[in-house]
Amino acid sequence: MSDITEEQAAEALQAAAAVLLTTGATTAAAAAPDPDETWPLPGGTAWVYYGEGNQGLIRPVLMADGFNTGPSNLDLLWEHLNRRGYPLLDELRRRGRDVVLIGYDERSASILDNARVATAAVHRANAERLGGERLVVGGFSMGGLVTRYALAKLEHEGMDHQTGVYFSWDSPHTGAWIPLSLQAFAHYIRKLDGRFSDQINSPAAQQLLWRHIEHWEDKPAASPLRTAFLDRLEEVGNWPRVPRLLALANGPGDGSGNGVRPGVEAVVGKGLAVSGTELRTQSEGDDRLVAKLRVVTVPTREVRTGGLPDIDGAPGGTLEGFGILADQLNELAPVLGFAVENPVREHCFVPAVSAVAVREPSSHADLYLPIDELAPDESALDDFVLASQNEEHTLVTEELSGWLLDRLP
């Protein structure tokens, strides 16, 4: 095992499933029900399910998919929105609402590109709709930004999108977070297997992340793609103005963190191939060690940061980013010495202050802000709800679903 070469490591890594950071099931799910209609759209697809008793599109609720790599998968969408937590899609249909699930040909493509898919779905829904019920349009995670931009752009162009309610579910309005240690590791193993790095460097990821690095030795900053996206959003007014704006967050509003401590070991290499690797949670201050990197024959490198907040433990929707990486490496451990220990599995992914658009996640004070105590005009949203505890990013709970269902016209 001590004689493993980079070529052998690369072959094994590339033959295994890719390390991809995402919430919920990724590869296996029970089949979704057959849709009543399937709409091919430029750059994507919409799957239509009529509400109970409806013979056509009467009361449409358009729901856009979030971020991942590759095309949207109907089975995985249905699993996440209807089977893993509260059966939101079933309940919408039981109440006579038609569900329109919007998917993309490539989930990691630019938000601006996938906003065209959402725009086409809005046009099709208005063309197919029977009667005068206005649309409900929104999305989960990135899908909330996709639809936010699509509706705002339609208004900017003077077009009537016929939408009465916009909603976002744990969407990173002021930025999402992947720990710098994970980003650095992804780029460090790029020459062995580039898929993890490709996901971090994809257009959508760069637009979503509050701080990003393209190479392991880079200093964290807002990606130029993020800056350009925010400029485009501002050009169309930042938010749609016609519909009522709602947001749901999978983090609490009392400022309670998720218990992840700053500056502690999250993934520690034990096998010979990764001995010396150490990925840590983010801590405040200057010249903070966040990662030691060594894979196969490469000498150990260090990654240090400065001026960043202790964001991994902040209130918000969580992602098992450290755990996903550790599980994948341990799958390879028996033959290649990639064994790791994994003291910390999850981290904050979408801070609560981002999901309800009240602050950027730029400091400890902003991240741990007691949102419940803020005046209503602190957010551009008309109304929002926060979960009673920190929970998995975009987890569909009865608590949040009930709030949304009660606010639909």
PDB file of all heavy atoms in Angstrom, residues 71 78 87 93 98 100 145 208 233-234 337 363:
ATOM      1  N   PRO A  71     -28.282  16.512 -15.290  1.00  0.00           N
ATOM      2  CA  PRO A  71     -29.671  16.924 -15.504  1.00  0.00           C
ATOM      3  C   PRO A  71     -30.555  16.654 -14.298  1.00  0.00           C
ATOM      4  O   PRO A  71     -30.262  15.784 -13.477  1.00  0.00           O
ATOM      5  CB  PRO A  71     -30.096  16.049 -16.700  1.00  0.00           C
ATOM      6  CG  PRO A  71     -29.231  14.837 -16.604  1.00  0.00           C
ATOM      7  CD  PRO A  71     -27.911  15.320 -16.073  1.00  0.00           C
ATOM      8  N   TRP A  78     -39.049  14.050  -6.848  1.00  0.00           N
ATOM      9  CA  TRP A  78     -40.260  13.581  -6.150  1.00  0.00           C
ATOM     10  C   TRP A  78     -39.902  13.022  -4.775  1.00  0.00           C
ATOM     11  O   TRP A  78     -40.599  13.267  -3.789  1.00  0.00           O
ATOM     12  CB  TRP A  78     -40.985  12.543  -6.992  1.00  0.00           C
ATOM     13  CG  TRP A  78     -42.373  12.283  -6.501  1.00  0.00           C
ATOM     14  CD1 TRP A  78     -42.755  11.403  -5.537  1.00  0.00           C
ATOM     15  CD2 TRP A  78     -43.569  12.957  -6.921  1.00  0.00           C
ATOM     16  NE1 TRP A  78     -44.121  11.469  -5.339  1.00  0.00           N
ATOM     17  CE2 TRP A  78     -44.638  12.420  -6.172  1.00  0.00           C
ATOM     18  CE3 TRP A  78     -43.828  13.943  -7.871  1.00  0.00           C
ATOM     19  CZ2 TRP A  78     -45.951  12.843  -6.348  1.00  0.00           C
ATOM     20  CZ3 TRP A  78     -45.143  14.366  -8.037  1.00  0.00           C
ATOM     21  CH2 TRP A  78     -46.188  13.815  -7.283  1.00  0.00           C
ATOM     22  N   PRO A  87     -45.212  15.162   2.882  1.00  0.00           N
ATOM     23  CA  PRO A  87     -45.621  14.955   1.481  1.00  0.00           C
ATOM     24  C   PRO A  87     -46.239  16.214   0.864  1.00  0.00           C
ATOM     25  O   PRO A  87     -47.441  16.284   0.602  1.00  0.00           O
ATOM     26  CB  PRO A  87     -46.631  13.807   1.583  1.00  0.00           C
ATOM     27  CG  PRO A  87     -47.233  13.955   2.947  1.00  0.00           C
ATOM     28  CD  PRO A  87     -46.111  14.451   3.826  1.00  0.00           C
ATOM     29  N   ARG A  93     -51.732  18.835  -4.282  1.00  0.00           N
ATOM     30  CA  ARG A  93     -52.699  18.256  -5.227  1.00  0.00           C
ATOM     31  C   ARG A  93     -54.024  17.944  -4.534  1.00  0.00           C
ATOM     32  O   ARG A  93     -55.097  18.116  -5.128  1.00  0.00           O
ATOM     33  CB  ARG A  93     -52.116  17.004  -5.863  1.00  0.00           C
ATOM     34  CG  ARG A  93     -50.842  17.296  -6.674  1.00  0.00           C
ATOM     35  CD  ARG A  93     -50.214  16.023  -7.186  1.00  0.00           C
ATOM     36  NE  ARG A  93     -51.004  15.438  -8.260  1.00  0.00           N
ATOM     37  CZ  ARG A  93     -50.877  14.184  -8.688  1.00  0.00           C
ATOM     38  NH1 ARG A  93     -50.022  13.367  -8.086  1.00  0.00           N
ATOM     39  NH2 ARG A  93     -51.616  13.738  -9.674  1.00  0.00           N
ATOM     40  N   ASP A  98     -52.301  22.360  -8.999  1.00  0.00           N
ATOM     41  CA  ASP A  98     -51.536  21.605  -9.983  1.00  0.00           C
ATOM     42  C   ASP A  98     -50.047  21.855  -9.754  1.00  0.00           C
ATOM     43  O   ASP A  98     -49.615  23.005  -9.625  1.00  0.00           O
ATOM     44  CB  ASP A  98     -51.908  22.033 -11.402  1.00  0.00           C
ATOM     45  CG  ASP A  98     -53.416  22.099 -11.602  1.00  0.00           C
ATOM     46  OD1 ASP A  98     -54.068  21.040 -11.498  1.00  0.00           O
ATOM     47  OD2 ASP A  98     -53.935  23.213 -11.837  1.00  0.00           O
ATOM     48  N   VAL A 100     -46.233  21.813 -10.996  1.00  0.00           N
ATOM     49  CA  VAL A 100     -45.377  21.854 -12.184  1.00  0.00           C
ATOM     50  C   VAL A 100     -43.935  21.873 -11.704  1.00  0.00           C
ATOM     51  O   VAL A 100     -43.462  22.879 -11.150  1.00  0.00           O
ATOM     52  CB  VAL A 100     -45.673  23.088 -13.062  1.00  0.00           C
ATOM     53  CG1 VAL A 100     -44.769  23.083 -14.299  1.00  0.00           C
ATOM     54  CG2 VAL A 100     -47.144  23.128 -13.467  1.00  0.00           C
ATOM     55  N   LEU A 145     -33.529  31.295  -6.581  1.00  0.00           N
ATOM     56  CA  LEU A 145     -32.831  32.368  -7.288  1.00  0.00           C
ATOM     57  C   LEU A 145     -33.135  32.333  -8.778  1.00  0.00           C
ATOM     58  O   LEU A 145     -33.258  33.373  -9.422  1.00  0.00           O
ATOM     59  CB  LEU A 145     -31.323  32.255  -7.057  1.00  0.00           C
ATOM     60  CG  LEU A 145     -30.844  32.539  -5.642  1.00  0.00           C
ATOM     61  CD1 LEU A 145     -29.338  32.326  -5.535  1.00  0.00           C
ATOM     62  CD2 LEU A 145     -31.187  33.953  -5.218  1.00  0.00           C
ATOM     63  N   LEU A 208     -23.431  31.012  -6.599  1.00  0.00           N
ATOM     64  CA  LEU A 208     -24.128  30.802  -5.334  1.00  0.00           C
ATOM     65  C   LEU A 208     -23.250  31.064  -4.119  1.00  0.00           C
ATOM     66  O   LEU A 208     -23.726  31.565  -3.090  1.00  0.00           O
ATOM     67  CB  LEU A 208     -24.650  29.366  -5.256  1.00  0.00           C
ATOM     68  CG  LEU A 208     -25.768  28.974  -6.225  1.00  0.00           C
ATOM     69  CD1 LEU A 208     -25.954  27.464  -6.229  1.00  0.00           C
ATOM     70  CD2 LEU A 208     -27.071  29.666  -5.840  1.00  0.00           C
ATOM     71  N   LEU A 233     -28.808  40.796 -11.605  1.00  0.00           N
ATOM     72  CA  LEU A 233     -29.998  40.820 -10.762  1.00  0.00           C
ATOM     73  C   LEU A 233     -30.396  42.259 -10.438  1.00  0.00           C
ATOM     74  O   LEU A 233     -31.585  42.616 -10.478  1.00  0.00           O
ATOM     75  CB  LEU A 233     -29.714  40.034  -9.479  1.00  0.00           C
ATOM     76  CG  LEU A 233     -30.884  39.575  -8.615  1.00  0.00           C
ATOM     77  CD1 LEU A 233     -31.884  38.749  -9.405  1.00  0.00           C
ATOM     78  CD2 LEU A 233     -30.361  38.775  -7.423  1.00  0.00           C
ATOM     79  N   GLU A 234     -29.409  43.087 -10.148  1.00  0.00           N
ATOM     80  CA  GLU A 234     -29.697  44.491  -9.839  1.00  0.00           C
ATOM     81  C   GLU A 234     -30.261  45.214 -11.063  1.00  0.00           C
ATOM     82  O   GLU A 234     -31.144  46.072 -10.927  1.00  0.00           O
ATOM     83  CB  GLU A 234     -28.429  45.184  -9.361  1.00  0.00           C
ATOM     84  CG  GLU A 234     -28.661  46.619  -8.883  1.00  0.00           C
ATOM     85  CD  GLU A 234     -27.434  47.244  -8.272  1.00  0.00           C
ATOM     86  OE1 GLU A 234     -26.370  46.595  -8.275  1.00  0.00           O
ATOM     87  OE2 GLU A 234     -27.535  48.389  -7.796  1.00  0.00           O
ATOM     88  N   GLY A 337      -5.826   2.769   0.811  1.00  0.00           N
ATOM     89  CA  GLY A 337      -5.322   3.545   1.923  1.00  0.00           C
ATOM     90  C   GLY A 337      -5.854   4.955   2.016  1.00  0.00           C
ATOM     91  O   GLY A 337      -5.135   5.877   2.418  1.00  0.00           O
ATOM     92  N   SER A 363     -19.960  38.281   8.930  1.00  0.00           N
ATOM     93  CA  SER A 363     -19.373  38.400  10.264  1.00  0.00           C
ATOM     94  C   SER A 363     -20.141  37.514  11.237  1.00  0.00           C
ATOM     95  O   SER A 363     -21.265  37.077  10.962  1.00  0.00           O
ATOM     96  CB  SER A 363     -19.421  39.847  10.753  1.00  0.00           C
ATOM     97  OG  SER A 363     -20.760  40.234  11.035  1.00  0.00           O
TER      98      SER A 363
END
